[in-house]
Amino acid sequence: MAKELELYIHIPFCVSKCRYCDFLSAPADEEERERYVESLCSRIRSCKEFAKDWHVSSIFVGGGTPSLLTGEQMGYIFRDIRETFRVDDMAEITVEMNPGTVSEEKLKAYREAGINRLSIGLQSANDQELKCLGRIHTYEMFVHSYQMARDCGFSNINVDLMSAIPFQTPESYEKTLRTVAELVPPPEHISAYSLIIEEGTPFYERYGEGKHAEELPAEEEEREMYVRTKEVLEEYGYIRYEISNYARSGFACRHNLGYWNRTQYLGIGTGASSLIGNKRWREGEEPEILTEKEEMEEFMFLGLRKMEGVSETDFRNVFQKEMQEVYGLILQKMKEEGLMEQAGDNWRLTERGIDISNYVMSEFLF
């Protein structure tokens, strides 16, 4: 019987590098992008033998900025995916895109290739905040791209938002939340992340190790933004199903849920990661063999990101051990501290536990 597999396809190109970005991406000319697509398609076709044992439930094309690819190039990629893998009829197929990088012709070609979900990197509805981040678009450009995607038939769209941006205030962030939630029609999904200052980025050079802290929202302001995200989006009918992700009923991202549930996935493209069985690797590197303890750790700290938490039955089915046998003392401690609760078969974070989730999850590391 074929096993479930998720595919991740990495496109490492962007127009220009954002100041906060530490992802594997860089600008490239048309010739370089064409060579990469040819190599990527060859790599996809080389999976023919491997693919016989699997059925693909979701495909996620990330980057970089995958929407820099032409409709024809995206068509080649999906032609070879479908000729190589058994893709479910109802598979969720997502492509990340940035405002200003698509046309009506390109979006129609993406639809023809079978893409049924878009993830648009907006980050903020405030043009000054976008400029500060090093984004190449304005809010007006986002609205144009968003409406064009709707006109081309996309009925499942995520919008990425960011809080704790330099010079951002709780008021400007809430205005972004409400502006996006009031789009007509509203997005089916909103991802709301807090800015992380990563080493090796221009933002780290400016803000790393506490430098220029006065330009960043104060800790209490960042906390207010975090709390208001849930409160505001719930007003508009969004359900929080994971720490940073909100969706209208029926539109939780299946690919992301698969990652948090440790569904096996194959990454294709420069730097893409894979998890098959107990082996994890990045494209071009030797696999790392995960121990049972490492797999159990991942089961817990990834699963606890979901609002529904982790299931004792699922733990038993995967590891042939009882969750209480392995983590009983920690679960009891978290419950006594008011950070976790039991709901039937599931253990999940409380509201207080969500607030300090990094601490809770660290408790499950051996």
Side-chain angles (χ1 to χ4, degrees):
M1 182 178 177
K3 297 169 286 187
E4 182 182 1
L5 180 73
E6 297 194 327
L7 281 182
Y8 174 78
I9 308 296
H10 190 68
I11 308 299
F13 307 124
C14 54
V15 176
S16 64
K17 196 87 167 171
C18 296
R19 293 170 187 161
Y20 59 87
C21 179
D22 72 333
F23 293 145
L24 182 58
S25 62
D29 59 30
E30 289 183 17
E31 185 179 344
E32 189 174 351
R33 293 201 293 267
E34 182 65 26
R35 286 200 306 269
Y36 181 82
V37 169
E38 291 174 2
S39 174
L40 184 69
C41 287
S42 176
R43 174 72 182 92
I44 291 168
R45 294 192 299 270
S46 74
C47 297
K48 198 99 177 176
E49 192 62 32
F50 167 85
K52 291 178 180 177
D53 297 328
W54 305 87
H55 70 93
V56 174
S57 60
S58 77
I59 304 170
F60 195 100
V61 184
T65 305
S67 52
L68 283 178
L69 297 188
T70 66
E72 187 177 41
Q73 289 169 331
M74 199 68 80
Y76 293 152
I77 291 169
F78 277 93
R79 175 202 63 195
D80 286 346
I81 287 174
R82 293 182 185 281
E83 289 181 358
T84 303
F85 292 91
R86 190 183 325 166
V87 180
D88 295 352
D89 290 341
M90 300 299 290
E92 177 190 86
I93 303 176
T94 305
V95 167
E96 290 183 333
M97 62 166 272
N98 277 347
T101 62
V102 292
S103 62
E104 184 177 336
E105 179 184 17
K106 185 184 290 189
L107 286 168
K108 286 180 177 177
Y110 285 8
R111 288 280 294 161
E112 289 173 8
I115 296 159
N116 53 33
R117 184 175 185 271
L118 295 176
S119 181
I120 307 179
L122 170 59
Q123 314 312 342
S124 173
N126 181 300
D127 285 347
Q128 286 301 113
E129 291 172 6
L130 291 173
K131 187 176 181 181
C132 177
L133 291 171
R135 303 294 288 177
I136 63 167
H137 63 268
T138 63
Y139 179 68
E140 184 179 353
M141 290 168 68
F142 160 79
V143 172
H144 178 69
S145 296
Y146 180 85
Q147 294 299 342
M148 191 161 42
R150 291 301 198 190
D151 292 343
C152 290
F154 284 96
S155 58
N156 190 357
I157 295 179
N158 168 66
V159 176
D160 283 341
L161 301 179
M162 186 176 288
S163 61
I165 296 169
F167 306 106
Q168 188 180 53
T169 65
E171 292 74 23
S172 71
Y173 176 63
E174 181 167 336
K175 185 175 181 181
T176 284
L177 288 173
R178 293 188 181 279
T179 299
V180 171
E182 291 173 6
L183 287 165
V184 181
E188 286 68 32
H189 190 287
I190 293 176
S191 297
Y193 298 100
S194 179
L195 172 68
I196 298 175
I197 307 295
E198 301 282 7
E199 287 192 47
T201 65
F203 265 17
Y204 188 83
E205 291 178 18
R206 181 160 186 83
Y207 300 114
E209 301 173 358
K211 298 192 295 287
H212 300 287
E214 72 281 357
E215 296 180 5
L216 297 169
E219 189 175 331
E220 58 272 17
E221 291 179 312
E222 189 173 347
R223 165 73 183 156
E224 184 181 346
M225 295 178 197
Y226 175 79
V227 171
R228 289 299 286 156
T229 302
K230 178 175 182 288
E231 293 174 346
V232 171
L233 292 183
E234 281 186 347
E235 284 182 38
Y236 291 92
Y238 290 92
I239 301 163
R240 185 188 205 176
Y241 70 96
E242 189 270 346
I243 287 176
S244 301
N245 285 274
Y246 300 78
R248 295 185 171 275
S249 181
F251 287 96
C253 178
R254 285 188 269 148
H255 190 87
N256 287 348
L257 282 171
Y259 176 76
W260 297 314
N261 288 326
R262 297 191 79 247
T263 300
Q264 296 180 82
Y265 56 89
L266 179 67
I268 302 175
T270 302
S273 295
S274 301
L275 174 70
I276 304 293
N278 66 344
K279 294 181 180 178
R280 182 193 306 286
W281 70 92
R282 289 171 69 92
E283 185 93 341
E285 297 180 4
E286 287 298 311
E288 170 195 4
I289 308 299
L290 300 174
T291 65
E292 183 182 62
K293 286 184 177 180
E294 288 171 329
E295 291 189 276
M296 287 192 289
E297 288 174 353
E298 288 192 0
F299 181 98
M300 297 301 289
F301 70 70
L302 288 175
L304 284 172
R305 290 190 62 89
K306 300 175 297 172
M307 295 302 98
E308 67 179 27
V310 291
S311 159
E312 290 190 353
T313 299
D314 289 346
F315 190 93
R316 184 186 310 118
N317 290 340
V318 172
F319 300 110
Q320 285 73 57
K321 292 181 180 178
E322 297 296 330
M323 189 184 291
Q324 290 287 345
E325 173 190 339
V326 181
Y327 288 116
L329 292 176
I330 298 170
L331 291 169
Q332 187 59 34
K333 175 188 174 187
M334 294 295 100
K335 186 175 182 180
E336 289 173 357
E337 292 181 9
L339 303 176
M340 289 184 66
E341 61 188 7
Q342 191 169 13
D345 186 57
N346 283 30
W347 283 88
R348 65 191 183 193
L349 299 177
T350 62
E351 284 294 328
R352 183 162 170 260
I354 293 169
D355 290 347
I356 53 172
S357 57
N358 287 342
Y359 161 68
V360 178
M361 292 170 190
S362 71
E363 289 290 296
F364 291 91
L365 304 180
F366 290 102

